[in-house]
Amino acid sequence: VGSPLIIKAAFGGGGRGMRVVQSADELIPRFDEASREAAAAFGNGAVFLERFIRRPRHIEVQILADQHGNVLHLYERDCSVQRRHQKVVEVAPAVSLDPEVRNAICSAAVRLMKTAGYSNAGTVEFLLDSETNEWFFIEMNPRIQVEHTVTEMVTGIDLLRSQILVAQGHSLHGPELGL
């Protein structure tokens, strides 16, 4: 184990059954503990091994993509303030985010959606290691999320209206959307 790992249940439970592994000699005992706990709680002992990030930041990139291959990012939101794995505070733009990291994450979100041929509003989520500035893709939510209003306040773009116009076949750069 070069850098710390986290072992967590593959099914259910959010934070239940997680174990941090700091050294190679801890790996097997922690793995066995987490697997037993997962099996008892969820009926399945499968676990995941992930890199442990001490000071993570949860960064989301709002995107809009049309049926003509155009994809725009509408910047990022920092969703790191959480309680019980639920976002509590959304900040846009993300405070103290290195401009190179911001550009890289937003560009990656656009590339991902172009490659997937995506058309709609959506949110691409990343995990940022604040100690190293390394970032990792988490997931893509192909829908409007409740926090879309944070992006609307910052950009002045009505995401629901834009989503409807995109669904009707309008281009992001056409007169109806004008982006």
Side-chain angles (χ1 to χ4, degrees):
V1 178
S3 56
L5 297 172
I6 191 163
I7 302 171
K8 64 183 182 178
F11 299 94
R16 291 184 68 189
M18 291 198 291
R19 302 289 188 278
V20 176
V21 177
Q22 301 286 348
S23 64
D25 60 323
E26 294 178 349
L27 180 61
I28 299 302
R30 298 292 180 269
F31 182 93
D32 290 342
E33 288 171 11
S35 183
R36 279 192 306 275
E37 188 171 313
F42 311 115
N44 187 322
V47 295
F48 287 115
L49 294 178
E50 297 178 358
R51 182 182 195 168
F52 177 67
I53 299 175
R54 285 184 212 288
R55 293 183 44 228
R57 289 178 71 182
H58 183 141
I59 306 294
E60 298 183 346
V61 177
Q62 182 70 56
I63 58 98
L64 269 177
D66 65 23
Q67 298 171 23
H68 309 279
N70 301 307
V71 180
L72 293 175
H73 72 78
L74 302 178
Y75 306 100
E76 82 290 339
R77 300 182 293 256
D78 188 330
C79 309
S80 301
V81 178
Q82 298 186 12
R83 182 171 186 256
R84 296 186 186 145
H85 308 290
Q86 295 298 312
K87 296 173 255 183
V88 176
V89 176
E90 307 265 340
V91 179
V95 178
S96 302
L97 185 61
D98 181 302
E100 289 182 19
V101 172
R102 174 179 286 117
N103 184 51
I105 288 174
C106 290
S107 296
V110 168
R111 277 192 320 275
L112 178 61
M113 295 301 95
K114 280 188 177 189
T115 301
Y118 186 75
S119 173
N120 201 342
T123 305
V124 185
E125 301 188 22
F126 298 92
L127 193 61
L128 172 68
D129 184 331
S130 22
E131 294 175 354
T132 66
N133 271 344
E134 289 180 279
W135 50 270
F136 308 91
F137 171 76
I138 300 175
E139 65 181 351
M140 192 283 176
N141 289 298
R143 59 184 161 74
I144 291 283
Q145 291 184 279
V146 71
E147 58 270 18
H148 77 277
T149 55
V150 175
T151 296
E152 288 182 336
M153 294 297 295
V154 171
T155 64
I157 297 169
D158 182 332
L159 288 170
L160 293 177
R161 178 182 177 276
S162 298
Q163 184 177 31
I164 291 167
L165 291 171
V166 162
Q168 292 174 341
H170 296 286
S171 169
L172 296 178
H173 307 304
E176 296 82 7
L177 283 143
L179 301 177

